[in-house]
Amino acid sequence: MQEIAPSSSPSTLTAAHDRRRRYYQRIKPLHLKPLWEELHALVPNEPRTPCVPALWCYADIRPKLMESAELISAEEAVRRVLILENPALPGSSSITQSLYAGLQLIMPGEIAPSHRHVQSALRFIVDGRGAYTTVSGERTTMAPGDFIITPSWTWHDHGHAADEGASGPVVWLDGLDIPMVRFFDAGFAENDTARAQHVTRPEGHSYARFGYNMAPVRHDHASGTSPIFSYPYARSREALARLQRDEPADPWLGWKLRYLNPLTGGAPMPTMATFLQLLPAGFNSRIHHATDGTVYCVVEGRGTADIGGQPFRFQPQDIFVVPSWAPLRLLADEDTVLFSYSDRPVQQAIGIHREAFLSA
Ligand code: GTQ
């Protein structure tokens, strides 16, 4: 292309631009386009996500979720879930560009039939207790705050035995890497022949083998996913309570721990990192931001998440999303516990994860 000197007259400029436009039109049928018109958008100076911050108030959602149980059974739905879709990503079924979130409901006596898929899933129990999920032949009973994983390509079914005293509905947050798998066009899934899996190992078996900072000497666990299916809230909460007693809070994060794959020290699943953090009453964090857009679920406490200057009041069971690189400040009115997940392990694996802790 002929260069246009900055000193060129307006008419020369217009003529040059017209020539360029005509050229773009001529190459379009060949499915070609000029990079120089797109470069700034394709290679931005810093992340420019279309995703917006948002909060889902559980008190508002719960009645709608309960209503869904009158419309369809868990069995017919396969998974009776209300998807939390980012308001700025309509039609995507995504809460960030890479992550999916939904609230799944199971009623006493129901079964969500066994299937498997390459998408990895996490469950974070929000409401009720006594439902279970079975993963690869091992059952885990759910209680609020428990973090449970379903590794890629493992059979899983969910159920709720009506007779065990705990007879109410059970709701959990589903976090999946659905948008990532869709991005790679690498999705496979299949239904099991049985509605529910045959249980082959006693409850707590994986935890006994891998959950005590010890691992079996002879084992064949080759996958990149944690061999522990369930990380009970009682244990994670106790760890935070001990830290609160013994060391000062981090000015940005409070006391924040990440869940581990005990065999690698990495995240429990290859695609999603998960965290639990405690903010003391009166905490007013400094601002930080990170390239991993993050989904938060409030477990205990009340406060405000200031996301890019927009305040979101939160209370227990609420869910909010912090887009990539959005400055985040957390304010806690009471002792507050937040669970969160993001695509951090993927960004770290390809060497692009960044975060910054601002002095403000
Ligand atoms: O529980 O297997 O929210 O396959 C979305 C897709 C849950 C599940 C979701 C799923 C599941």
Side-chain angles (χ1 to χ4, degrees):
M1 292 301 293
Q2 185 187 315
E3 217 176 280
I4 303 173
S7 57
S8 301
S9 74
S11 63
T12 320
L13 273 172
T14 313
H17 278 116
D18 285 351
R19 270 187 32 219
R20 289 180 184 179
R21 296 285 153 214
R22 286 196 299 276
Y23 167 76
Y24 302 159
Q25 285 308 317
R26 282 204 310 281
I27 64 172
K28 203 172 166 187
L30 301 172
H31 311 292
L32 297 170
K33 59 184 201 173
L35 170 64
W36 58 90
E37 295 288 348
E38 311 286 339
L39 191 56
H40 56 290
L42 290 180
V43 187
N45 289 339
E46 57 178 70
R48 270 201 237 154
T49 178
C51 164
V52 293
L55 179 140
W56 287 261
C57 172
Y58 187 71
D60 296 340
I61 296 172
R62 193 179 193 278
K64 303 283 185 287
L65 202 49
M66 296 307 144
E67 212 182 315
S68 75
E70 290 156 27
L71 298 174
I72 192 163
S73 68
E75 178 118 31
E76 192 193 343
V78 183
R79 297 295 183 263
R80 188 174 49 220
V81 177
L82 293 181
I83 298 169
L84 310 184
E85 187 175 70
N86 193 283
L89 304 173
S92 68
S93 299
S94 302
I95 191 160
T96 69
Q97 296 265 72
S98 61
L99 296 171
Y100 162 101
L103 283 170
Q104 181 158 179
L105 167 65
I106 194 139
M107 300 297 279
E110 286 194 316
I111 283 182
S114 180
H115 71 181
R116 63 177 176 177
H117 38 70
V118 300
Q119 290 83 356
S120 298
L122 68 86
R123 329 283 173 189
F124 188 73
I125 318 311
V126 168
D127 194 3
R129 62 178 66 238
Y132 61 83
T133 184
T134 306
V135 178
S136 303
E138 184 174 330
R139 188 171 277 194
T140 300
T141 305
M142 300 173 169
D146 289 354
F147 160 56
I148 294 169
I149 66 167
T150 308
S152 175
W153 207 241
T154 53
W155 294 112
H156 54 285
D157 54 86
H158 316 302
H160 191 342
D163 55 343
E164 283 168 14
S167 56
V170 174
V171 177
W172 63 84
L173 173 67
D174 278 326
L176 285 90
D177 53 12
I178 286 173
M180 280 187 250
V181 174
R182 185 169 56 201
F183 173 80
F184 289 116
D185 286 333
F188 289 90
E190 61 189 31
N191 291 323
D192 208 344
T193 46
R195 273 167 85 225
Q197 285 170 80
H198 184 60
V199 174
T200 55
R201 282 171 284 137
E203 180 154 2
H205 184 70
S206 302
Y207 205 89
R209 290 174 92 201
F210 299 98
Y212 294 88
N213 290 321
M214 302 184 91
V217 175
R218 280 162 58 80
H219 74 88
D220 54 5
H221 191 84
S223 106
T225 292
S226 171
I228 298 178
F229 295 123
S230 177
Y231 298 74
Y233 188 60
R235 301 220 46 183
S236 323
R237 184 67 182 85
E238 187 193 340
L240 291 175
R242 291 287 307 258
L243 291 180
Q244 186 174 25
R245 277 205 301 275
D246 298 347
E247 64 175 56
D250 178 273
W252 290 271
L253 306 174
W255 296 276
K256 185 169 184 175
L257 297 174
R258 61 184 177 92
Y259 292 87
L260 291 183
N261 172 343
L263 293 182
T264 63
M269 289 175 287
T271 47
M272 291 182 285
T274 45
F275 307 89
L276 195 70
Q277 77 195 104
L278 170 62
L279 314 172
F283 188 69
N284 180 353
S285 83
R286 292 187 193 165
I287 294 171
H288 83 286
H289 57 169
T291 49
D292 48 331
T294 303
V295 180
Y296 286 81
C297 181
V298 182
V299 195
E300 300 175 27
R302 269 155 233 281
T304 305
D306 186 308
I307 313 172
Q310 235 181 300
F312 293 87
R313 290 282 308 156
F314 64 73
Q315 56 184 3
Q317 302 169 302
D318 289 352
I319 292 152
F320 59 91
V321 58
V322 179
S324 168
W325 213 237
L328 173 67
R329 186 197 294 282
L330 292 167
L331 302 107
D333 302 344
E334 312 164 0
D335 277 8
T336 291
V337 178
L338 304 174
F339 170 83
S340 56
Y341 68 97
S342 81
D343 63 13
R344 185 172 299 199
V346 180
Q347 295 200 24
Q348 286 175 332
I350 59 178
I352 62 167
H353 183 258
R354 284 202 200 190
E355 60 189 331
F357 296 88
L358 310 185
S359 54

